[in-house]
Amino acid sequence: MKGKIGLEEHYALEDTLEDSRPFVPPNLWPEARARLLDFQERRIAEMDRWGMELMLLSLNAPAIQAIPDRKKAMDISVRSNDLMAGEIAKNPKRFQGLAALAMQDPDHACKELERCVKQLGFRGILVNGFSQIDQEENCVYLDDPRYRPFWALVSQLDVPFYLHPRNPLVSQATCYKGAEWLLGPKWGFGNETAVHALRLMGSGIFDTHPNLKIIIGHMGEGIPFSLWRIDNHNAWMNLPNPYPAKHKLSYYFQNNFWITVSGNFCTPSLVNSIMEIGTDRILFSTDWPFENVDHAAKWFDDLELNENDKLKIGRTNAQKLFKL
Ligand code: GRE
Ligand code: ZN
């Protein structure tokens, strides 16, 4: 299929590049590094070859969210957004942007978001999970009350918010101690991000701002598969919802969430997701440069799916969601 749009497509600044190194074997680091720093050459060639018209670009992970020093976090977020704006300006038909924000300082995040949307023309936001604030061990999630004004602004600007993975701190997630190989894309990313998404669903922010639009990658980070049990466990007990939000969590997943297929090119998982969230809320993405564009595109193009749904997932859902 030609004209595919991807929305989990990363680059790095020199300042954030090293965050990606631990996920790549040393012999492949030169290749990963070159992929992360490139915009106009290798990336466009991959897109042309495999039928991607547009990438919504975002910074690598965990980057800003793992910088406890507020001033440094703010500084790098602004520099990242400026650099991305410059690259988009060179080729706006092929690239659009998702803002990187220093959630360590919610006031600054709001100001920078307004600048990114109103002046730089970015289409949304991508944040890498919880933020470490002032101290390494101080991990703050986005359902924290300090972010209420931020969510009000996101609602008012009506821009989608991509909740992207990061690892938990092993010092705080002792289930990974001695089994660090489980971290990253194998399990840690998805587990951490699913919990974060569920925290948002239960927090009540979607009752206050029903138009908030949250995107999660990797075929929904496992949530579609678990959605029934999340709401219907131990039904005979008639348990009340144990969280502030008004509805069952599936209500929010089906009304405020979109998922992408990034890094999860698996047909049974897609079928499950279609049944839980529907083809209007599933979007193509690759997860470049951590996944190959050809792996994503070949899987997607060969899917036995009706043409209408394929067009929606590959392209038109993204156009609608991001007002492209
Ligand atoms: C990602 O951005 O999703 C990612 C990384 C590092 C390794 C694998 C991966 O940031 O999918
Ligand atoms: Zn990613």
Side-chain angles (χ1 to χ4, degrees), residues 156-187:
Q156 186 210 319
L157 294 172
D158 196 25
V159 286
F161 181 101
Y162 204 121
L163 180 64
H164 184 272
R166 66 171 296 174
N167 272 327
L169 303 188
V170 182
S171 55
Q172 300 182 8
T174 52
C175 57
Y176 294 101
K177 257 196 193 134
E180 282 80 2
W181 55 269
L182 274 164
L183 288 164
K186 196 174 286 301
W187 190 258

Side-chain angles (χ1 to χ4, degrees), residues 59-129:
L59 189 58
N60 64 328
I64 315 292
Q65 274 64 57
I67 306 173
D69 179 333
R70 290 175 197 235
K71 198 179 160 303
K72 195 173 163 206
M74 294 188 271
D75 172 57
I76 295 182
S77 84
V78 170
R79 274 199 287 124
S80 175
N81 293 327
D82 284 343
L83 176 108
M84 186 166 67
E87 294 295 336
I88 293 167
K90 292 180 197 167
N91 213 342
K93 292 204 170 113
R94 310 305 297 279
F95 296 135
Q96 291 290 317
L98 302 179
L101 299 176
M103 303 309 295
Q104 287 84 348
D105 187 317
D107 289 339
H108 182 271
C110 287
K111 281 197 201 102
E112 180 62 3
L113 174 57
E114 287 218 71
R115 184 181 82 95
C116 285
V117 172
K118 293 183 177 165
Q119 290 176 35
L120 303 182
F122 290 178
R123 301 293 176 156
I125 306 145
L126 183 141
V127 167
N128 296 310

